[in-house]
Amino acid sequence: MKLIFSKNRAAQLDLLTRSLAVNWPGPPPHVLWTATEDVFANAYQELPETALVPETPPADFDRVLRLLLTTDEFVTFFCDDNVVFSPLPWEPEQVLADHDDVLTVSPRLGRSNTFMPWPGEKYQWTDLPRHDFGFPCSIDGHTFRTDDVLT
């Protein structure tokens, strides 16, 4: 399942969903969204058909998110300002299914960044140099086993 978070940015969401349709086809993503003003809410209603979840106010966010997470073995998180520029060279879900020792798969860094070793029991990503983009749990295209997210 692809799950997108969006707040007040229907135009960015539209670009992401169109890029997913071309470069990472499959079932349409689920979109958890909210708007702070009617003008933003109206913009979401103008989007092409997607799996747009009814507006999710912040008070209901945790409940709705957990409910969605029970629907699939894998989840890929996106923020509405992401764009998928080219087709993936592999299926992230298959990588996770084939490798029990991999926490997450992220195609966002490009083909040159293919492996980030997991140094020990705890990944000290805060100790990495400032130019290292190895943060493993961001919501910009990372795929996880849903059970790992829920634990």
Side-chain angles (χ1 to χ4, degrees):
M1 163 182 49
K2 296 175 190 90
L3 182 57
I4 303 171
F5 302 109
S6 184
K7 180 178 180 181
N8 292 344
R9 299 195 298 194
Q12 290 89 332
L13 175 63
D14 184 44
L15 180 59
L16 170 58
T17 56
R18 289 173 188 266
S19 74
L20 286 169
V22 171
N23 293 311
W24 196 344
H30 295 276
V31 180
L32 279 177
W33 66 280
T34 190
T36 57
E37 297 178 28
D38 287 344
V39 67
F40 297 121
N42 293 339
Y44 283 100
Q45 302 310 317
E46 297 296 320
L47 292 175
E49 188 175 327
T50 64
L52 199 64
V53 174
E55 184 174 5
T56 309
D60 293 338
F61 180 82
D62 185 67
R63 180 185 58 78
V64 173
L65 175 61
R66 289 178 181 277
L67 183 64
L68 281 171
L69 288 174
T70 63
T71 64
D72 204 328
E73 182 180 2
F74 301 100
V75 59
T76 303
F77 294 112
F78 290 98
C79 183
D80 55 17
D81 63 353
N82 298 136
V83 177
V84 179
F85 289 99
S86 61
L88 301 185
W90 27 254
E91 288 294 325
E93 295 88 353
Q94 192 60 52
V95 173
L96 291 174
D98 292 345
H99 301 280
D100 290 343
D101 59 338
V102 173
L103 172 66
T104 185
V105 177
S106 175
R108 75 182 177 93
L109 295 176
R111 294 177 189 216
S112 61
N113 297 306
T114 58
F115 181 73
M116 181 67 178
W118 196 263
E121 280 189 37
K122 188 173 182 184
Y123 183 38
Q124 295 291 339
W125 65 271
T126 55
D127 294 340
L128 296 173
R130 293 179 72 85
H131 63 276
D132 192 311
F133 299 104
F135 180 65
C137 297
S138 59
I139 59 167
D140 52 2
H142 280 77
T143 301
F144 297 90
R145 289 175 200 84
T146 303
D147 285 345
D148 289 340
V149 172
L150 291 172
T151 52

